[in-house]
Amino acid sequence: LALFKRDDVDIKGGWKVGQPVPYAALAKAFSLIEATTKRLEKNAILTSFLLLVIQRSAKGDYNSLLQAVYLCINRLSPDYVGIELGIGESLLIKAIGESTGRSLSLIKADLKKEGDLGLVAMNSKNSQKTLFKPKPLTLPFVFTHLREIALASGHSSQAKKVSIITKLLAACQDFEAKYIVRSLEGKLRIGNAERSVLVALAQAAVLAEKERSGKKWSQEQLATRLEEGAKTIKSVYSELPTYDKVIPALLEHGIDGLREHCKLSPGVPLKPMLAKPTKAIGEVLDRFENKRFTCEYKYDGERAQVHKVEDGTVAVFSRNSEDMSKKYPDLVEQLPRASTFQGCIKETTKTFVFDAEAVAIDRTTGKLMPFQELSRRKRKDVRVEDIQVKVCLFAFDLLYLNGEPLLQLPLHERRKLLRDHFTPVPGEFDFAKSSDAESTEEIQIFLEESVKDGCEGLMVKMLDTDASFYEPSRRSVNWLKLKKDYLAGVGDSLDLVVVGAYYGKGKRTNVYGAFLLACYDSEEEAFQTICKIGTGFSEEVLQAHYDTLKPLETSKPRGDIRVGGAKPDVWFEPRVVWEVLTADLSLSPIYTAAQGLVDERGISLRFPRYLRIRDDKSAEDATGPEQIAEMYERQALAQNGPGKRKKGG
Ligand code: ATP
């Protein structure tokens, strides 16, 4: 509790209840957070800042806290609305030049030296002599202008963006320019992931309630309340991931009323439940011993969460909560034919959310096609009449039906409701094929059948009891994936972030010839290098990667990349995720992945092979060091018996 010192994060003179939050207060909190590497301290600073915002907001003002939280996670809207920053370096350099009167070449030289445009902007501002102190920036002013920049489109949008950024920068004092520029770049670099912001938000709400009510809690009681608050908000947010709804409910009903007022609602995509890998059928049977479970085909397509809202709108969301309705207008159009109650055309299902896989299909033969086919579809502005690659939806879970969230029902009940309220339409919609098999032989036969039918393997899911509830955002042991690759001894693929590249040789001189990949440690919020990869690419693919990655080039590795001994020719903003297979994992003095988990050295991939781009995953969804350490240990176990683990169990 001693860590929560509001005075530290307050600004000189503070600000009065009902006044807009000064942007300087947020910038100060950011700079304090950035200055420490200790997670507890970062958390305490953010909690204190959000507590101040709550206490100084007028009654009924939800916007101050909402905007503060959005700026802390560097977003301007919920994920699925997709209003994004990520302004290019050259535009920002231009605006810094215009607002400070410095030449572009000087700014570029500084950037080369510092590797951080935010810092360059701040230094350029602070060395500028000004006659008048500008009017202080406020949070609503900054927020509104950032949104305006993000939404600017059309042919004169670049000039408009530069002019707004110049105006913002002209009013900056102290640290402000640093964080405004970083926000604009789309990267705050203060080492605070969304998860930490959620925890701080819950803690601030608990502390505000304590002070308001004058309740006397012992240290222990308070610690319990803080912990429970964090748990509540995380679970509520994974079901309803929009601060636009969670924050007003939090301020209105307190942390204890949050669950009741924030439930899954059609139109807001929830964070999908994920599965754990297993490598043998025996492992499945061990895990689900004496429990009822079902095996479903694991289709090789793209995850699709389908929503029907009360006004009749149908929307399709990706694994990453991106709105894919424009990519799949055919699915939106097809759906009414499938959403009929027990096959009765007159009775269509009114509101729902179901979880499904969209799979490319040959409608003449009914054969499923691999993911590569699906990836040939355009991502945007697709017109139904132009669609070549047809898609069938395979629904495997029902999460919401006619006004009721179903997450807390056992899977077999959700499955029954799904089958009652929807009807298969050949080539367009079906239920995931399932078998409630019990023995190794039955599972083996079903697995082989799934592969023959063009699937990746099976998903094995708990059917009964509370272990079969739908767990948003969790990689749960109650869902196991059994891929054919694991059985062939290849192991699960990894999702890795491209952080650097090496120039090509021979035929490949005009493109990058090899790449540096990294995993993502969500605890440390850092990328750890893992291998160099140069195989598995066709000429065509290399060209496409070059086109995608070239604009992401940076002069230095970003501060949150743990480089180790890797020396690529160029660095990238960590954004692009690839799925990669490896023959083997080995310890390496060069790379930093999973360092300290099984050994002081990092873990590297031997003979990594490129499989495909994963544009449904963000860099923060990449495979983590724990998973890599687990894979390494399994392999070591298979080769030499149990090895030792240093940290993390
Ligand atoms: P992968 O790399 O295996 O696609 P992932 O990290 O995207 O993994 P996982 O939890 O590992 O997600 O695997 C589950 C994915 O498999 C789901 O996201 C979904 O897209 C797909 N899938 C296909 N069929 C099913 C099914 N019957 N039930 C659940 N998920 C399924």
Side-chain angles (χ1 to χ4, degrees):
L1 190 65
L3 279 169
F4 295 115
K5 278 201 274 172
R6 256 157 296 169
D7 292 350
D8 290 348
V9 296
D10 205 353
I11 49 163
K12 219 164 114 200
W15 78 95
K16 294 202 180 66
V17 174
Q19 278 180 348
V21 182
Y23 184 71
L26 181 70
K28 183 163 182 206
F30 281 170
S31 72
L32 290 169
I33 292 171
E34 191 182 350
T36 173
T37 52
K38 298 198 181 93
R39 191 134 298 284
L40 274 180
E41 273 177 27
K42 283 181 188 287
N43 172 271
I45 296 162
L46 192 57
T47 302
S48 312
F49 171 71
L50 295 176
L51 179 57
L52 275 185
V53 176
I54 296 177
Q55 292 178 325
R56 295 187 187 165
S57 296
K59 202 169 161 29
D61 163 22
Y62 307 135
N63 265 341
S64 297
L65 186 62
L66 187 62
Q67 292 174 348
V69 167
Y70 271 134
L71 291 183
C72 288
I73 51 170
N74 209 18
R75 283 214 312 262
L76 300 169
S77 70
D79 269 350
Y80 60 94
V81 179
I83 302 177
E84 280 177 16
L85 286 166
I87 307 292
E89 213 168 80
S90 52
L91 213 79
L92 287 170
I93 291 178
K94 203 164 161 199
I96 296 171
E98 282 185 22
S99 71
T100 59
R102 295 188 74 206
S103 75
L104 303 193
S105 56
L106 273 180
I107 299 173
K108 281 184 192 160
D110 282 357
L111 176 61
K112 200 150 187 206
K113 204 162 75 211
E114 305 286 358
D116 172 9
L117 200 53
L119 198 61
V120 174
M122 179 175 85
N123 292 341
S124 306
K125 272 296 304 173
N126 293 349
S127 59
Q128 189 189 15
K129 293 203 176 26
T130 42
L131 286 178
F132 303 102
K133 245 191 164 192
K135 198 166 157 235
L137 285 170
T138 66
L139 210 77
F141 184 85
V142 173
F143 188 82
T144 318
H145 283 86
L146 290 181
R147 265 183 78 102
E148 224 177 283
I149 295 166
L151 290 170
S153 64
H155 67 280
S156 56
S157 64
Q158 299 297 78
K160 185 170 175 199
K161 285 181 188 173
V162 173
S163 126
I164 305 174
I165 300 170
T166 309
K167 186 163 98 182
L168 280 173
L169 288 178
C172 283
Q173 302 176 45
D174 302 325
F175 310 107
E176 292 176 334
K178 181 173 177 183
Y179 296 108
I180 293 222
V181 166
R182 288 190 188 169
S183 284
L184 287 161
E185 283 182 303
K187 280 293 159 193
L188 269 182
R189 307 191 193 189
I190 55 169
N192 236 348
E194 182 162 7
R195 217 160 28 117
S196 332
V197 178
L198 267 176
V199 172
L201 177 62
Q203 293 181 337
V206 169
L207 291 170
E209 187 191 315
K210 175 179 179 291
E211 293 189 12
R212 206 175 34 241
S213 65
K215 278 182 194 151
K216 297 257 177 302
W217 289 331
S218 68
Q219 290 282 15
E220 247 164 63
Q221 282 170 321
L222 180 61
T224 314
R225 295 279 305 173
L226 292 174
E227 207 172 299
E228 277 171 1
K231 236 197 244 159
T232 304
I233 213 161
K234 278 193 215 161
S235 116
V236 163
Y237 186 75
S238 62
E239 193 174 322
L240 189 72
T242 167
Y243 295 103
D244 295 1
K245 297 201 172 159
V246 172
I247 285 184
L250 180 67
L251 291 174
E252 182 95 25
H253 307 285
I255 198 105
D256 295 335
L258 207 52
R259 266 190 223 280
E260 200 194 324
H261 291 91
C262 287
K263 296 213 164 98
L264 167 62
S265 342
V268 179
L270 72 163
K271 306 261 178 201
M273 179 165 171
L274 301 170
K276 286 243 181 207
T278 36
K279 75 174 187 319
I281 295 175
E283 217 178 306
V284 171
L285 292 174
D286 287 350
R287 165 76 202 141
F288 290 160
E289 207 184 359
N290 299 327
K291 313 254 175 36
R292 274 185 68 207
F293 60 86
T294 184
C295 302
E296 290 172 357
Y297 275 15
K298 185 177 193 305
Y299 293 93
D300 186 15
E302 182 172 20
R303 185 118 180 209
Q305 201 182 91
V306 184
H307 291 229
K308 185 175 171 198
V309 191
E310 212 143 351
D311 65 5
T313 323
V314 169
V316 182
F317 295 101
S318 74
R319 182 188 189 284
N320 244 355
S321 306
E322 229 178 280
D323 190 344
M324 297 198 295
S325 313
K326 295 223 162 53
K327 179 179 176 188
Y328 289 118
D330 45 340
L331 286 185
V332 174
E333 198 184 85
Q334 279 161 220
L335 208 67
R337 290 193 278 280
S339 49
T340 59
F341 180 63
Q342 294 186 334
C344 174
I345 301 290
K346 279 201 201 114
E347 281 212 52
T348 56
T349 307
K350 289 190 186 66
T351 53
F352 56 76
V353 176
F354 69 76
D355 210 349
E357 188 84 348
V359 190
I361 190 168
D362 179 338
R363 289 242 172 100
T364 46
T365 60
K367 261 185 75 169
L368 299 183
M369 324 271 272
F371 173 81
Q372 279 71 7
E373 272 307 301
L374 191 68
S375 63
R376 286 182 33 221
R377 280 176 67 120
K378 273 189 12 186
R379 291 193 63 78
K380 282 186 192 139
D381 308 322
V382 180
R383 293 191 326 182
V384 178
E385 54 274 27
D386 300 337
I387 292 172
Q388 305 278 328
V389 181
K390 301 280 193 273
V391 168
C392 184
L393 260 186
F394 289 91
F396 51 77
D397 216 320
L398 185 64
L399 314 178
Y400 185 97
L401 180 69
N402 295 336
E404 291 296 324
L406 309 177
L407 306 181
Q408 303 291 326
L409 289 184
L411 175 58
H412 72 91
E413 287 184 35
R414 301 200 302 274
R415 190 171 70 174
K416 178 165 186 326
L417 288 169
L418 176 70
R419 291 178 181 173
D420 284 350
H421 288 81
F422 292 82
T423 309
V425 178
E428 293 185 5
F429 177 90
D430 207 343
F431 304 116
K433 190 162 172 186
S434 69
S435 152
D436 301 350
E438 279 172 4
S439 69
T440 314
E441 294 72 39
E442 285 171 298
I443 302 177
Q444 181 70 43
I445 292 169
F446 196 52
L447 176 66
E448 281 162 20
E449 218 177 289
S450 79
V451 174
K452 212 168 68 227
D453 286 342
C455 294
E456 282 187 303
L458 299 180
M459 296 288 290
V460 191
K461 301 175 180 177
M462 202 76 98
L463 257 188
D464 277 333
T465 70
D466 49 6
S468 70
F469 292 171
Y470 191 91
E471 303 169 67
S473 86
R474 290 278 307 277
R475 195 172 281 283
S476 166
V477 286
N478 299 318
W479 272 24
L480 300 177
K481 50 179 170 171
L482 193 58
K483 285 199 206 169
K484 61 173 189 270
D485 287 351
Y486 310 161
L487 302 185
V490 187
D492 196 7
S493 56
L494 295 97
D495 298 311
L496 300 171
V497 188
V498 193
V499 293
Y502 305 80
Y503 290 123
K505 296 201 180 87
K507 262 206 234 155
R508 295 179 168 183
T509 40
N510 293 327
V511 290
Y512 309 122
F515 304 86
L516 176 65
L517 303 182
C519 65
Y520 181 70
D521 183 350
S522 56
E523 281 297 312
E524 202 210 346
E525 288 162 21
F527 297 91
Q528 303 170 341
T529 54
I530 189 164
C531 68
K532 178 175 172 181
I533 182 171
T535 43
F537 307 102
S538 65
E539 307 278 309
E540 221 182 329
V541 166
L542 278 182
Q543 186 62 50
H545 287 330
Y546 183 78
D547 297 340
T548 314
L549 289 164
K550 179 77 187 156
L552 301 180
E553 272 191 20
T554 56
S555 44
K556 277 187 178 180
R558 216 174 69 182
D560 54 358
I561 301 176
R562 305 286 167 259
V563 173
K567 292 193 183 77
D569 297 319
V570 292
W571 292 97
F572 301 123
E573 206 34 63
R575 199 166 295 164
V576 174
V577 180
W578 290 351
E579 189 172 345
V580 167
L581 265 184
T582 183
D584 208 357
L585 296 108
S586 62
L587 293 174
S588 152
I590 299 176
Y591 301 106
T592 59
Q595 243 173 12
L597 287 184
V598 287
D599 193 273
E600 295 310 325
R601 285 167 291 176
I603 294 176
S604 175
L605 307 187
R606 293 182 64 215
F607 313 116
R609 190 155 59 80
Y610 169 81
L611 281 184
R612 56 162 136 151
I613 191 160
R614 288 293 303 249
D615 42 20
D616 60 336
K617 289 196 176 180
S618 66
E620 287 76 20
D621 290 324
T623 304
E626 281 287 329
Q627 272 167 278
I628 290 161
E630 234 169 69
M631 287 169 90
Y632 177 82
E633 284 183 331
R634 274 197 196 169
Q635 173 189 299
L637 202 65
Q639 286 165 359
N640 345 297
K644 280 216 181 81
R645 189 122 200 230
K646 292 215 162 153
K647 183 182 114 185

